[in-house]
Structure formats: C-alpha cells, structure tokens
Amino acid sequence: MLKNQARTLGLIAIAVSGITIASCSKNEEPDKVYRSKEYPLKDKANAAAGKVTVQETSDSTFRLTIRLDKSTKDTSYTFAILKGSTGTPTSDTAFAMRITSQTTGAPVDAKFDRIDSIQIDETHKQKFTYDSLLKYQAFVNVTFKDLEDVAAPKDSLVAIGNIGKSAQ
C-alpha cells in the first residue's frame, strides 16, 4: 500500500511540474534583442548628459530608452523625440513622456517599449520598425518645467542629441 501511495505521489509531482513548465509561455520571457544602437545626449555646455538606446526585439518591435544621467529630486522631466535635427528642429513630436525624479543625482530612464507604429495624424498610423527609425531624421530633447515663476513658467533644456538619420 505504501508503494502505491509513493508511486501516486511521484506521478502527481511529475504532472504538476509538467503543467508548470507548459504554462510558461514565450510572452513571459524577455524579448531577445537582435540589434542595438546608442546615441549620445549632450547638455548646454556640450558635455555628456545621457544616451538614447534603440533595441530591435524578437517580436518585430523595438524599444527606445532615453537616459538622463543626473536628475534633481521632484523635478518633472519631459523626454521627447521630435522630427528634424538639433540644427533644424521642428515641433513635430513622435513620442513624449513625462517622468518626475525621485532622487537627486540619480539617472532617470524614459522607456518606450514594443514600438511598431507612429501616429501620422489623428486618424492614421504608419508601421514603424527599427530600420525605419535608423532612416528617420529625428532628435531627442529632455526638458524640465521651471515652476518657480508661476506667472511665466519656462522650459529649460537639460539634454539634446540627434538620433536616426540625423545622427549620421
């Protein structure tokens, strides 16, 4: 009788471990990165201020991470990717994100994940891939809103840099 119970418990253990392994899908695993490219960001004094990393992932999308090397606590930073270049800027924004720093001196990352298209206008999207970004004339700027003067708040540039075709 003990042999039968041991055998039954062993079979149950094998079945449970098999179900556990089978329940792990590929969607839960991190995407494999096929290609990657980095672009530097500079501050107003032309010193290194961060970087932009673009990674092509295995699900035919790409991720874009903008890193500001140093931040100030409780400051709200706007990370934006705009069409054009730092020499000929436009106001056409492809992506934007606002992040508030939690500590002083620490880096802040804005992460745009699983990008597969861009919004052309209010009703149209266009397929956009890693290769599309490399051919796209764009630049990144990181700004913060100066709220000290409530009557006339002004944007302040923290970091800027060309990406894609504008960086070549």
Side-chain angles (χ1 to χ4, degrees), residues 2 18 24-25 34 38 53 63 77-78 83 135 159 163:
L2 288 175
C24 294
S25 69
Y34 290 125
E38 286 188 356
T53 305
R63 72 176 64 105
Y77 294 95
T78 300
K83 188 174 183 179
K135 296 174 188 171
I163 63 171

Side-chain angles (χ1 to χ4, degrees), residues 48-115:
K51 67 181 176 181
V52 177
T53 305
V54 184
Q55 297 174 318
E56 181 183 38
T57 55
S58 58
D59 65 352
S60 299
T61 65
F62 67 94
R63 72 176 64 105
L64 190 140
T65 304
I66 304 169
R67 170 168 275 208
L68 180 62
D69 287 339
K70 293 180 183 173
S71 65
T72 303
K73 183 178 179 160
D74 297 330
T75 300
S76 183
Y77 294 95
T78 300
F79 296 80
I81 297 108
L82 297 106
K83 188 174 183 179
S85 70
T86 57
T88 57
T90 68
S91 60
D92 296 339
T93 304
F95 305 100
M97 181 183 295
R98 184 168 283 238
I99 297 175
T100 301
S101 175
Q102 302 300 313
T103 58
T104 295
V108 176
D109 290 338
K111 296 180 181 183
F112 302 88
D113 204 16
R114 298 193 186 280
I115 300 169

